[in-house]
Amino acid sequence: MISFYRSMIAGVLLLACSTSPGSGVTPAKDAGPVQVEASVPRAQQPAHWDNEIRSKELLDENPDPAIVEVSLEAKLETVAVPGGPSLTLWTFNGQVPGPTIRVRKGNELRVKVKNSLPEPTTIHWHGVRVPNRMDGTEMVQKPIEPGATFVYDYVLKDEGTYWYHPHVKSSPQVGFGLYGALIVEPELPDGLPEDLPIVLSDLSVDKDEKLAPGNESGGFGDFFGREGKYVLVNGRVSAKVTMRSGLGQRWRFVNAARARYFSLAFPGLEVHRIGGDGGRMEKSIKIQNTLLVPGERAEFFVVATGAAGSVTNVENKSYDRFHAGASPGTSTPLFQVSVSADAAVSKEVPPAKLVTIPRIDVSSLKERPFEFSQVPLNAPTGFGINGKQMKDLEPFVAQRNTDELWTVTNASGMDHPFHLHGFFFQVVKFNGVAPPVLEWKDTINLIPKDTMQIAVQFDNRPGMWMFHCHILDHADAGMMAMLNVE
Ligand code: C2O
Ligand code: CU
Ligand code: CU
């Protein structure tokens, strides 16, 4: 299975060719696909279509329509995982994943966080262009002590699918259950169907089916990246969504696992990728499968093509992060999709053109090379950037309000998802080839020897940021660097 960028470059994707304009929701059978439009009313989703998959959302406590104010309490709670074990997890508000936070672009978000955990924590807003002091790293704030509170407060500048997670002892704290989705809707309705956030993660347990200690398997765990026994879809081992044949749904995926890659396949469904890390992409692309690495997001427009009453599964294919030539991937059902008994509607397709993204001009940018590598001089589990672990690296320095051209290469023998805090980038070339569709990214996978050129846009938010591998065990083991934007 190949990653989205590798497959997009290799041209194995089917490019979107959805052009027929639609009107109404029940045209004649042979009318062809119907392109969704904001102005055209659409059929209803089946009754209770999302009951067995959707996570709870937080209610806005502030009457001002421009301000969304919510409360999160990080605390231990015994959770009965649907289809899995019952055990004590680290939760936000007693649930895993933590509640979905939903805001609109331009809103101010205030999150009052209470730490009722036995150790300090923070919240990082992955992908969001927050002011530096709101980034949730130890570079910019003192961790929130047990019993203490902290208010994160910032304005959302971009639509898209984001997520939140602690940034101290990230691998254990995320592994214990601390993560949730942050959905930023555009200012104006985009005409796409109501969305379904789908947070993918996993859960490590010991032989008594209790939560594993977080440092299980010691150095091996650090090196290989810890993958848990239970794979969770919005906190469920057994999740299920119901679709009406022909009617589109918008799925917003987040990979919140600390190390597990998800290689998604969609038999029986027609799937268009419509967005990535930082909101909608320029154009939709029809896909059959996709790789979603830790930290990464992807938005899909999904249509069931099966007959009323049929059942299919979104599948997860095993993925070999070490390229060890392991036997071909097995496919396991990730969640069930059942097609309701409602009469089919004419097959919907997303708009061909989604948004306009200005392309960063890369003709005269400051260039910088970065290399993700194993650091053999240290422990065998040492990982670093440009040959050094985080503790031995000086911060890199960039200037605010400039763009830079970074070349990021994976010089190690295994995959690493590169993630940059605070700023989006555009992929200029991936292994020498320009991607056919523009989108904003903050997390992207590199397999051994992959090299990408990315254009990074530093706006006017100075401060100490960071970039790292999002296999959190690798980040904790040193594959992390600071970036001082002056
Ligand atoms: Cu999800 Cu430092 O990141
Ligand atoms: Cu981040
Ligand atoms: Cu890594």
Side-chain angles (χ1 to χ4, degrees):
M1 194 51 49
I2 47 186
S3 84
F4 177 68
Y5 268 90
R6 314 190 103 250
S7 51
M8 186 156 72
I9 298 307
V12 299
L13 297 172
L14 312 136
L15 282 178
C17 53
S18 45
T19 45
S20 49
S23 62
V25 290
T26 50
K29 268 234 143 52
D30 52 0
V34 177
Q35 194 172 308
V36 301
E37 282 175 60
S39 54
V40 178
R42 305 172 58 251
Q44 296 272 311
Q45 297 296 341
H48 315 298
W49 64 283
D50 54 356
N51 268 12
E52 289 171 66
I53 188 164
R54 190 181 289 273
S55 289
K56 256 196 243 149
E57 300 205 353
L58 275 180
L59 289 180
D60 179 5
E61 301 162 12
N62 192 309
D64 185 335
I67 302 172
V68 172
E69 195 167 327
V70 294
S71 303
L72 283 180
E73 183 183 8
K75 60 173 178 180
L76 272 62
E77 184 83 42
T78 301
V79 175
V81 175
S86 183
L87 74 182
T88 302
L89 299 177
W90 292 30
T91 72
F92 287 113
N93 297 6
Q95 61 176 95
V96 172
T100 303
I101 301 174
R102 186 176 291 275
V103 287
R104 195 171 292 284
K105 178 178 167 182
N107 281 173
E108 177 184 342
L109 174 63
R110 293 183 192 156
V111 187
K112 298 171 286 183
V113 180
K114 170 147 207 269
N115 181 9
S116 302
L117 300 171
E119 62 182 50
T121 193
T122 62
I123 298 185
H124 167 61
W125 308 92
H126 182 123
V128 182
R129 291 198 293 153
V130 292
N132 183 252
R133 64 183 192 286
M134 293 289 134
D135 197 40
T137 67
E138 286 174 273
M139 309 294 123
V140 301
Q141 77 169 102
K142 285 219 293 292
I144 312 164
E145 293 296 324
T149 57
F150 186 87
V151 182
Y152 291 93
D153 186 344
Y154 53 85
V155 172
L156 279 308
K157 293 154 63 116
D158 309 282
E159 67 160 84
T161 306
Y162 304 97
W163 65 296
Y164 58 93
H165 65 81
H167 221 284
V168 287
K169 296 177 78 182
S170 308
S171 176
Q173 291 200 0
V174 170
F176 294 161
L178 293 172
Y179 43 81
L182 169 61
I183 305 300
V184 186
E185 295 182 349
E187 287 162 299
L188 299 173
D190 53 23
L192 289 161
E194 179 195 354
D195 67 30
L196 177 66
I198 302 177
V199 177
L200 305 177
S201 62
D202 60 4
L203 200 57
S204 302
V205 294
D206 63 18
K207 57 179 189 339
D208 301 320
E209 297 278 295
K210 297 276 176 285
L211 188 62
N215 62 351
E216 61 273 15
S217 315
F220 283 108
D222 295 342
F223 185 76
F224 289 108
R226 295 176 174 87
E227 298 190 9
K229 170 178 169 188
Y230 293 103
V231 172
L232 304 183
V233 176
N234 281 343
R236 301 159 188 260
V237 170
S238 55
K240 177 183 147 185
V241 65
T242 305
M243 302 185 79
R244 179 170 181 176
S245 189
L247 186 65
Q249 291 189 354
R250 179 190 196 163
W251 294 355
R252 297 176 181 261
F253 280 95
V254 177
N255 183 349
R258 52 186 168 160
R260 182 184 292 274
Y261 284 33
F262 287 87
S263 177
L264 305 172
F266 306 90
L269 301 174
E270 195 175 291
V271 182
H272 298 258
R273 190 180 193 275
I274 55 171
D277 294 336
R280 285 170 288 169
M281 42 208 270
E282 274 189 311
K283 288 180 280 188
S284 60
I285 295 184
K286 198 167 171 183
I287 60 148
Q288 276 157 342
N289 45 55
T290 200
L291 184 68
L292 198 70
V293 301
E296 200 177 21
R297 287 88 66 212
E299 297 186 29
F300 299 110
F301 184 97
V302 185
V303 176
T305 51
S310 62
V311 172
T312 181
N313 285 299
V314 172
E315 289 177 352
N316 183 22
K317 297 190 173 172
S318 63
Y319 178 84
D320 176 13
R321 292 189 275 115
F322 308 95
H323 305 275
S327 51
T330 52
S331 226
T332 32
L334 190 59
F335 62 92
Q336 199 190 81
V337 179
S338 54
V339 183
S340 73
D342 303 292
V345 299
S346 279
K347 187 172 78 186
E348 290 186 337
V349 291
K353 165 99 179 125
L354 293 163
V355 285
T356 304
I357 297 177
R359 186 180 289 274
I360 299 174
D361 177 8
V362 297
S363 51
S364 57
L365 298 185
K366 178 176 165 69
E367 297 191 28
R368 262 181 224 272
F370 291 109
E371 213 174 73
F372 273 20
S373 51
Q374 269 142 260
V375 186
L377 296 179
N378 291 292
T381 55
F383 290 103
I385 293 174
N386 290 359
K388 287 183 180 165
Q389 286 181 294
M390 163 88 163
K391 60 179 170 51
D392 303 320
L393 269 175
E394 289 297 315
F396 297 93
V397 179
Q399 302 306 313
R400 72 179 87 170
N401 297 322
T402 61
D403 299 339
E404 292 194 1
L405 187 61
W406 289 13
T407 300
V408 189
T409 304
N410 182 356
S412 80
M414 64 177 83
D415 285 25
H416 302 286
F418 167 89
H419 169 53
L420 173 65
H421 280 218
F423 306 94
F424 292 117
F425 53 81
Q426 293 178 356
V427 176
V428 179
K429 285 193 174 153
F430 196 92
N431 290 334
V433 184
V437 181
L438 212 50
E439 63 176 310
W440 292 110
K441 291 290 289 172
D442 58 60
T443 306
I444 200 161
N445 191 54
L446 297 171
I447 79 163
K449 298 196 174 66
D450 270 352
T451 181
M452 63 174 178
Q453 281 186 301
I454 56 175
V456 191
Q457 194 151 68
F458 297 114
D459 52 24
N460 191 14
R461 286 171 303 123
M464 195 62 92
W465 302 93
M466 50 196 337
F467 55 97
H468 58 85
C469 172
H470 218 288
I471 290 175
L472 295 174
D473 304 289
H474 293 176
D476 290 356
M479 198 171 247
M480 183 128 105
M482 285 183 277
L483 176 73
N484 189 5
V485 177
E486 293 183 335

